[in-house]
Amino acid sequence: MAEQVFYEDIEAGSEIPALVKYPTTMQLVKYAGASGDFYQIHYDKDFALANGLPGVIVHGWLALSFLGQMLTDWLGEGGTLLKLNGSYRGMNLVHEDLICNGKVTKKYIEDGRNCVRVEIWAENPQGEKTVTGSAVVTLPSRG
Amino acid sequence: MSDEPVVSEELKSLLNIEFGPEVYEIEKGMVRKFAEAVDDPNPAWQQSAPPTFAAALVPAGLLHKLFNVRTPLTRLLNGASELEYFHPIRVGDVISVTAKLTRLRQMEGKEGPTLFMFTEVTYTNQRGEVAVKGKNTYIKY
């Protein structure tokens, strides 16, 4: 685990360490089982192609889970996640990199808590943003 | 494409009706399986749920209606998800899930008529505290 990040350490513009995932059809099957989302576009290539998709596509929720992992890895034990959202703007295919990124847009104190607003996005290997969203987190003080 | 309306009376009749509660006992194995499926090895997920775990607590009653309602639009995509956290969901919790369809919006997309279905889901724990609130947008086209 990385060292704890503190509120004082970050500013608007600070980048969150990127997380690169490589979803496979097997992972999508596992995710279907764990989440109960058995829509066939996520594991049945024939079905996906017949639906006009380029192939089996990653569940939006799974891509958002990766962004969540990037955030909670960064927050460590001392931080908390208050809000997480993502819009699914493009498709991530299986067997290619899914790159998670984040950048601090604002820091502020609210209700006595050190809040940080973060812009988050996922990219495919072509550099297209497939998920865009934001998160609000709290970080501990060095104090 | 048939002349059937994209937004049927049946679909409209679902607006703002609360579905549920559907009750989920949060078992250790279920959380572990979810963390493994999303490939997140953080040891914190041995006791509490990872951020998107709410997706596994499906408001099946509402979604079954939404996905099976008669409509000329046969294809479905997830458009957006939003989660707000108030209390962590932990192993041993009992979570009651209620859900409703809050809005329908029809648009002309590049592949023809497109229907956005906006939902809100509330996840309440055994102490009566709202643990998580979620919003999701489904797209039929």
Side-chain angles (χ1 to χ4, degrees), chain A residues 21 27 30-31 34-35 39 41 51 57 61-62 64-66 68-69 72 81-88 91, chain B residues 33-34 37-42 45 51-52 55-56 58 75-85 136 141:
Chain A
K21 304 289 276 193
Q27 181 170 23
K30 285 165 88 175
Y31 183 77
S35 68
Y39 193 32
I41 59 171
N51 267 261
I57 61 164
W61 272 116
L62 181 56
L64 189 63
S65 303
F66 297 154
Q69 181 184 352
T72 49
L81 185 57
L82 298 181
K83 288 183 191 176
L84 173 66
N85 72 70
S87 295
Y88 311 117
M91 288 162 197
Chain B
K33 223 173 185 176
F34 189 90
V38 300
D39 184 30
D40 184 346
N42 192 328
W45 314 144
T52 54
V58 183
R75 294 178 292 177
L76 174 73
L77 284 174
N78 195 353
S81 309
E82 195 177 320
L83 293 166
E84 187 170 4
Y85 306 95
N136 211 85
Y141 66 108

Side-chain angles (χ1 to χ4, degrees), chain A residues 77 79-81, chain B residues 24-32 43-51 53-54 57 85-96 123-127 129-132:
Chain A
E77 288 182 13
T80 55
L81 185 57
Chain B
Y24 289 89
E25 291 181 29
I26 310 305
E27 296 155 356
K28 191 168 186 148
M30 160 186 190
V31 177
R32 190 188 63 221
W45 314 144
Q46 289 167 17
Q47 288 308 324
S48 59
F53 180 74
L57 308 179
Y85 306 95
F86 301 94
H87 293 279
I89 295 178
R90 295 184 194 282
V91 169
D93 280 351
V94 179
I95 303 292
S96 299
Y123 306 83
T124 306
N125 66 24
Q126 68 278 15
R127 291 178 294 278
E129 301 159 338
V130 172
V132 180

Side-chain angles (χ1 to χ4, degrees), chain B residues 64-84:
Chain B
H64 184 78
K65 289 259 189 203
L66 288 187
F67 298 163
N68 292 295
V69 76
R70 229 181 117 76
T71 161
L73 308 179
T74 55
R75 294 178 292 177
L76 174 73
L77 284 174
N78 195 353
S81 309
E82 195 177 320
L83 293 166
E84 187 170 4

